[in-house]
């Protein structure tokens, strides 16, 4: 055990690197508290993070996690929105393997590439709207509607219902009371049951129709799993990508020399995106895990029966893995970063996220060569969420060039 015990609160949500500034003391795993009755071990080093994220003795199963909490505190605590939690992020193999196999085919490179025309068309429409304004919100006017529109197209959410998806997400992002959060979760579950029933009656070539078929014909999903997996794909399918685009663009705006180099060499964009995700990932920490056996991490052993929080953002700034890690370098070979996770829970939607970001950021930089923040960087506000690195709003002045377009 090394260093004083930490309390993970809003004081660690800083303008630059939340968790990173507060935790990189000596790098060793160390005890912390998410809440007074919720002790965890925090893992910050790159090698330790990879080991934890792929260790068979570290689990995600929601039922076992609840049992561990009850054992440690003497309290039974029901999960908010329990009807929406029976998905692959809350499962371990073999259940995780079964659930992931059902959705993995939706995110193959071939299927994702078929979405490119839709992504490009929607991106152009949103940039056209931004060009008409003296000031726009990078998140609300661009990243949010783009990523919601793309995931809804893939999953099969009708265009008329996509405003509902955005409204539900906006309400979910608020700091709701437990009662209000539970009511919203049940409302969402009811909405999805209705949408899935419509797919059952009139299937189409989309992911939700395929999930219904898997549930009805193959027995691959229980009714509860069908609703929970649909909710996961819908919300997680745009939220991290939306934040990744926002974080990447803000990073470029506060590093204008790097943005200029990227504009001068658009072929650098795929590599640059990996460095941007490493530098300021949309995932600041992996979802909470727990140990079912002792896990040795260097000189520290995390005992069985402990919660573990992996700080992906800190691991991506580990000098043992990345030279001069706090320097943004769009030519850096940043492959192996943990911005999309690692192990069996590696982000299934990473190919889609990469394509969306490539199109969105490429077109944005081309269309608005003088794009800049409309407020000082230090005034940007981040959501006080442990696991996500999420900007609430990013006011920008587009100052567009109104002629010519190029594809990413």
């Amino acid at each position: 055990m090394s260093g004083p015990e930490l309390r993970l609160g809003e004081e660690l949500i800083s303008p630059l690197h939340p968790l990173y500034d507060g935790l990189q003391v000596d790098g060793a795993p160390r005890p912390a508290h998410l809440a007074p009755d919720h002790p965890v071990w925090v893992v910050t080093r790159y090698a330790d993070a990879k080991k934890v994220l792929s260790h068979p003795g570290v689990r995600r199963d929601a039922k076992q996690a609840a049992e561990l909490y009850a054992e440690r505190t003497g309290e039974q605590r029901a999960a908010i929105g329990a009807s929406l939690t029976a998905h692959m992020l809350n499962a371990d193999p073999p259940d995780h393997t079964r659930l992931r196999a059902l959705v993995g085919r939706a995110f193959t490179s071939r299927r994702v590439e078929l979405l490119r025309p839709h992504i490009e068309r929607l991106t152009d429409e949103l940039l056209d709207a931004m060009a008409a304004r003296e000031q726009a919100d990078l998140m609300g006017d661009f990243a949010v509607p783009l990523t919601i529109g793309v995931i809804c197209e893939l999953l099969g959410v009708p265009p008329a219902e996509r405003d509902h998806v955005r409204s539900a997400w906006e309400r979910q992002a608020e700091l709701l009371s437990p009662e209000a959060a539970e009511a919203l979760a049940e409302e969402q579950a009811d909405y999805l049951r209705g949408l899935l029933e419509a797919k059952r009656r009139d299937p189409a070539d989309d992911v939700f129709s395929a999930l219904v078929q898997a549930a009805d014909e193959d027995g691959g999903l229980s009714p509860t799993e069908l609703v929970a997996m649909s909710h996961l794909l819908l919300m997680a399918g745009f939220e991290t990508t939306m934040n990744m685009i926002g974080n990447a663009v803000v990073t470029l705006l506060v590093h204008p020399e790097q943005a200029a180099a990227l504009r001068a060499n658009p072929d650098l964009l795929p590599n640059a995106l990996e460095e941007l995700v490493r530098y300021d990932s949309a995932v600041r920490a992996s979802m909470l895990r727990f140990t079912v056996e002792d896990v040795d991490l260097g000189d520290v052993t995390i005992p069985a029966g402990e919660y573990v929080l992996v700080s992906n953002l800190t691991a991506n700034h580990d000098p043992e893995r990345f030279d001069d890690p706090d320097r943004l370098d769009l030519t850096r070979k940043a492959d192996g970063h943990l911005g999309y996770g690692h192990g069996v829970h590696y982000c299934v939607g990473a190919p889609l996220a990469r394509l969306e970001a490539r199109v969105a950021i490429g077109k944005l930089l081309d269309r608005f060569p003088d794009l800049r923040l409309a407020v000082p960087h230090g005034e940007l506000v981040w959501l006080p969420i442990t696991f996500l690195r999420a900007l609430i709003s990013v006011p920008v002045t587009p100052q567009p060039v109104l002629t010519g377009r190029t594809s990413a």
Side-chain angles (χ1 to χ4, degrees):
M1 185 180 299
S2 72
E5 187 170 296
L6 295 167
R7 293 192 178 274
L8 305 181
E10 292 187 21
E11 69 276 5
L12 291 178
I13 299 171
S14 69
L16 293 178
H17 293 297
L19 291 186
Y20 175 68
D21 291 335
L23 294 178
Q24 194 67 21
V25 178
D26 62 11
R30 55 191 303 196
H33 271 79
L34 285 173
D37 60 349
H38 207 321
V40 300
W41 284 79
V42 178
V43 174
T44 60
R45 293 182 298 210
Y46 180 87
D48 292 342
K50 285 192 71 174
K51 184 172 183 178
V52 167
L53 293 175
S54 59
H55 198 291
V58 182
R59 305 283 177 81
R60 275 284 305 146
D61 181 82
K63 182 179 179 182
Q64 284 186 272
E67 291 171 352
L68 175 61
Y69 182 83
E71 178 184 318
R72 298 192 64 162
T73 66
E75 299 178 8
Q76 298 288 339
R77 187 168 68 175
I80 294 175
S83 59
L84 300 177
T85 60
H87 52 65
M88 61 187 181
L89 287 190
N90 290 328
D92 300 306
D95 283 340
H96 174 271
T97 307
R98 169 178 60 86
L99 295 170
R100 187 176 177 110
L102 291 171
V103 301
R105 293 188 294 273
F107 295 94
T108 62
S109 297
R110 177 184 173 278
R111 180 143 194 173
V112 165
E113 187 61 30
L114 292 175
L115 283 169
R116 179 185 285 271
H118 177 75
I119 298 171
E120 292 185 337
R121 182 171 60 254
L122 183 53
T123 298
D124 284 335
E125 291 172 358
L126 294 169
L127 293 179
D128 286 345
M130 287 178 64
R133 300 175 183 148
E134 292 185 4
Q135 181 172 308
D137 179 6
L138 177 70
M139 303 307 293
D141 295 329
F142 185 62
V144 174
L146 172 63
T147 53
I148 288 179
V150 171
I151 197 63
C152 286
E153 183 74 11
L154 176 66
L155 298 180
V157 178
E161 298 180 17
R162 294 175 188 182
D163 284 345
H164 166 83
V165 173
R166 179 167 181 168
S167 174
W169 167 76
E170 289 173 343
R171 291 164 61 199
Q172 182 176 289
E174 297 172 0
L175 299 178
L176 300 174
S177 68
E179 295 77 15
E182 182 63 39
L184 177 58
E186 284 306 308
E187 179 184 315
Q188 277 299 92
D190 287 341
Y191 164 72
L192 286 168
R193 291 185 191 104
L195 176 56
L196 294 166
E197 183 56 36
K199 297 295 180 183
R200 181 173 285 114
R201 294 191 305 268
D202 185 18
D205 183 20
D206 57 49
V207 173
F208 279 171
S209 294
L211 289 180
V212 170
Q213 181 180 3
D216 293 350
E217 298 179 9
D218 304 333
L221 286 170
S222 70
T224 299
E225 289 173 335
L226 175 61
V227 172
M229 285 291 288
S230 299
H231 181 262
L232 172 68
L233 293 176
L234 182 58
M235 292 301 175
F238 73 85
E239 190 168 38
T240 51
T241 307
M242 166 192 83
N243 293 323
M244 184 251 282
I245 291 171
N247 295 356
V249 173
V250 168
T251 298
L252 290 171
L253 293 181
V254 297
H255 294 84
E257 74 291 347
Q258 294 285 303
L262 186 54
R263 285 190 175 97
N265 181 13
D267 291 340
L268 182 61
L269 185 55
N271 187 85
L273 286 174
E274 299 306 310
E275 168 68 352
L276 288 164
V277 171
R278 179 203 70 84
Y279 186 82
D280 198 0
S281 171
V283 177
R284 76 169 56 151
S286 292
M287 300 298 289
L288 203 61
R289 287 160 165 78
F290 59 94
T291 55
V292 294
E293 61 185 64
D294 291 355
V295 176
D296 295 324
L297 300 174
D299 296 332
V300 175
T301 297
I302 300 179
E306 296 285 341
Y307 288 100
V308 183
L309 182 72
V310 174
S311 174
N312 301 50
L313 188 55
T314 308
N316 282 338
H317 285 256
D318 185 344
E320 295 296 317
R321 174 60 177 82
F322 299 102
D323 292 336
D324 196 7
D326 296 338
R327 178 174 60 88
L328 180 69
D329 178 4
L330 300 186
T331 66
R332 182 199 304 270
K333 297 301 180 185
D335 55 301
H337 66 75
L338 302 182
Y340 296 111
H342 178 70
V344 299
H345 288 286
Y346 182 84
C347 178
V348 70
L352 178 60
R354 286 185 168 105
L355 176 59
E356 288 184 72
R358 198 156 60 239
V359 172
I361 295 174
K363 284 180 172 288
L364 183 76
L365 292 177
D366 180 67
R367 185 72 179 275
F368 303 132
D370 295 314
L371 184 74
R372 63 194 65 183
L373 291 173
V375 298
H377 180 237
E379 293 183 11
L380 296 178
V381 180
W382 305 82
L383 278 174
I385 300 174
T386 302
F387 300 103
L388 291 179
R389 172 84 166 140
L391 283 156
I392 294 176
S393 176
V394 181
V396 293
T397 53
Q399 298 182 324
V401 171
L402 296 176
T403 60
R405 290 176 177 163
T406 63
S407 296

